[in-house]
Amino acid sequence: MKLAVVGGGSTYTPELIDGFARLRDTLPIEELVLVDPAADRLELVGGLARRIFAKQGHPGVIRTTSDVDAGVADADAVLLQLRVGGQAARNQDETWPLDCGCVGQETTGAGGLAKALRTVPVVLDIAERVRRANPDAWIIDFTNPVGIVTRALLQAGHKAVGLCNVAIGFQRKFARLLDVTPSQVHLDHVGLNHLTWELGVRLGGPDGENVLPRLLGEHGDAIAEDLHMPRAIVDGLGVVPSYYLRYFYQHDAVVREMRTKPSRASQVAAMERELLDMYGDPALDEKPELLAKRGGAFYSEAAVDLAASLLGGGGSPYQVVNTYNNGTLPFLPDDAVIEVQAAVGHKGATPLAVPALDPLFAGLIANVTAYEDLALEAALRGGRDRVFKALLAHPLVGQIEYAEKLTDELIAHNREHLAWV
């Protein structure tokens, strides 16, 4: 089995490599190719990746290349983990929206739209190269904004599934609180990427006992603290929202916080410099502890599980993924991309049925889906008017004055990445 990781020079990659090494019985990789245009980073990450494989006795071969076509040739699956523009572009996404009193964040709001506009054309170009090299290869997208990027891939006819680590993070957290193994925890996880709620926490599978009320009763303070939300709000909702709902439910408070501290991008950039120095140490043969602070917890386990299922191996029968709605949420079009539990196998992902959603959740999902429609149109076709309409539709913007100013700021800060400009 051959896998390729496009964006393989990322400081995330050793987390992925560690998962590949530990879970080699689930996903028996013979060849792994790390693809990245940044040759200096790729050399450092590739060297550490080989040492991790060697230490853990993995027989697979790891290669590195800056040539996408060569890297994806004959690959059974290609994992995308791109950041077009790097941390410098992310830092802009997190700062200039604050001038309008809007959340600055890399996956939602105006910053999220900027990232989508930079990213979608690049991802589609890579996907076409994958299709030419091997039309049967699966594309696993971990590139944010995952929902929009996955929809672009699916609409272009690619064999793609989107992946995020929010759900597996909740699964692991709830398993610890319940003192059970993660495989015993099944989430009723519903929504869009970075806009989800855990409606239930079931033991044993989709039909198991729902222990969410017990979790909230016994551990509500800890859960609310992790979400940075008041306990009363979580209790009132009766479900567990993802951390990203804070940008919607507590927008103005988050903006005030963001204005008083360094951006997350600047913090991550400092960590990346330190990590790359560590990766260059020939004695290092395991992922360093600092990597846990970088983000992407349990990313490797989720990636291995999904790849194994798609390639006919021993992955879990049910996994939280991003895929076409196809009637799962009846208030959305079939070609909307949702993030839910799905049955995953070699033919792809089929969403499981979900209960009727409270209007409090359904309304926001519908609103953000409409924004994503417009965002994808802007990413594919360009044009100031399309950018403006997407921003006006976003619930974190939603006012003409803000949308006008943010449109101009977005274009000014991303000119080098937007061909239509």
Side-chain angles (χ1 to χ4, degrees):
M1 179 186 299
K2 175 181 175 179
L3 264 64
V5 180
V6 180
S10 168
T11 53
Y12 271 135
T13 299
E15 164 69 26
L16 187 64
I17 300 299
D18 178 73
F20 286 159
R22 287 186 293 103
L23 303 172
R24 55 185 174 273
D25 291 339
T26 302
L27 190 67
I29 299 171
E30 298 167 294
E31 182 181 0
L32 176 66
V33 184
L34 306 180
V35 184
D36 203 292
D40 52 344
R41 291 171 65 109
L42 193 58
E43 180 180 358
L44 295 173
V45 174
L48 175 57
R50 294 186 186 97
R51 295 193 297 273
I52 291 174
F53 263 30
K55 180 180 182 179
Q56 299 195 31
H58 195 297
V61 174
I62 296 178
R63 295 194 298 107
T64 60
T65 181
S66 296
D67 186 332
V68 173
D69 294 316
V72 303
D74 301 319
D76 297 289
V78 177
L79 196 151
L80 304 180
Q81 53 172 33
L82 311 179
R83 185 178 295 283
V84 179
Q87 293 299 332
R90 176 182 180 176
N91 188 63
Q92 292 180 349
D93 295 343
E94 293 177 345
T95 51
W96 52 263
L98 296 174
D99 294 337
C100 288
C102 296
V103 160
Q105 214 280 329
E106 65 157 342
T107 63
T108 191
L113 177 60
K115 192 172 196 303
L117 297 182
R118 294 193 302 270
T119 304
V120 166
V122 175
V123 165
L124 289 179
D125 176 69
I126 293 168
E128 284 299 329
R129 294 167 183 263
V130 172
R131 179 152 53 191
R132 290 196 299 268
N134 181 10
D136 292 326
W138 280 102
I139 295 175
I140 297 174
D141 177 58
F142 198 73
T143 298
N144 281 319
V146 168
I148 294 172
V149 172
T150 301
R151 187 169 179 180
L153 288 165
L154 290 173
Q155 286 188 350
H158 299 290
K159 292 177 61 177
V161 179
L163 182 64
C164 180
N165 69 329
V166 167
I168 195 172
F170 274 130
Q171 182 198 42
R172 298 302 199 266
K173 185 190 306 291
F174 295 154
R176 289 195 302 272
L177 294 175
L178 294 165
D179 195 24
V180 299
T181 63
S183 63
Q184 292 175 272
V185 176
H186 179 94
L187 303 177
D188 291 341
H189 178 103
V190 180
L192 310 177
N193 179 241
H194 289 184
L195 193 84
T196 52
W197 297 261
E198 309 308 324
L199 304 184
V201 178
R202 301 184 182 276
L203 292 180
D207 300 318
E209 176 192 4
N210 181 16
V211 296
L212 179 57
R214 172 155 64 96
L215 267 173
L216 291 176
E218 297 177 359
H219 304 285
D221 288 341
I223 291 170
E225 184 177 358
D226 283 348
L227 298 171
H228 297 280
M229 292 185 188
R231 166 77 185 267
I233 294 298
V234 178
D235 286 342
L237 292 174
V239 303
V240 179
S242 80
Y243 174 83
Y244 290 88
L245 265 298
R246 188 167 182 257
Y247 298 126
F248 297 82
Y249 292 162
Q250 299 172 281
H251 177 274
D252 291 355
V254 172
V255 169
R256 288 193 294 271
E257 289 177 14
M258 287 179 167
R259 284 173 162 168
T260 60
K261 61 170 115 176
S263 69
R264 174 63 178 165
S266 64
Q267 296 170 347
V268 170
M271 275 186 237
E272 287 198 333
R273 289 190 292 271
E274 189 173 350
L275 284 169
L276 289 170
D277 284 342
M278 292 178 176
Y279 295 172
D281 180 357
L284 183 67
D285 56 7
E286 61 185 11
K287 63 177 183 180
E289 291 184 10
L290 179 61
L291 187 55
K293 298 179 181 180
R294 171 67 179 80
F298 309 115
Y299 155 48
S300 60
E301 285 91 337
V304 167
D305 207 15
L306 179 55
S309 293
L310 293 174
L311 298 176
S316 304
Y318 305 115
Q319 298 171 44
V320 173
V321 298
N322 286 259
T323 191
Y324 270 149
N325 177 45
N326 283 337
T328 308
L329 300 180
F331 55 89
L332 296 184
D334 285 349
D335 66 350
V337 165
I338 60 175
E339 185 172 289
V340 292
Q341 285 279 4
V344 183
H346 69 279
K347 292 184 178 180
T350 302
L352 303 185
V354 302
L357 290 184
D358 187 298
L360 179 63
F361 312 136
L364 187 53
I365 290 172
N367 190 167
V368 175
T369 297
Y371 151 75
E372 291 188 349
D373 290 346
L374 295 167
L376 183 54
E377 184 76 2
L380 294 174
R381 301 179 62 191
R384 186 188 186 282
D385 287 349
R386 294 187 181 92
V387 174
F388 169 78
K389 288 177 181 177
L391 287 168
L392 189 61
H394 202 295
L396 297 184
V397 180
Q399 297 186 53
I400 293 173
E401 179 183 355
Y402 292 169
E404 288 281 9
K405 183 175 179 180
L406 289 170
T407 297
D408 292 336
E409 290 288 329
L410 185 155
I411 292 172
H413 284 92
N414 291 275
R415 187 174 298 276
E416 64 182 292
H417 300 290
L418 306 177
W420 51 270
V421 174

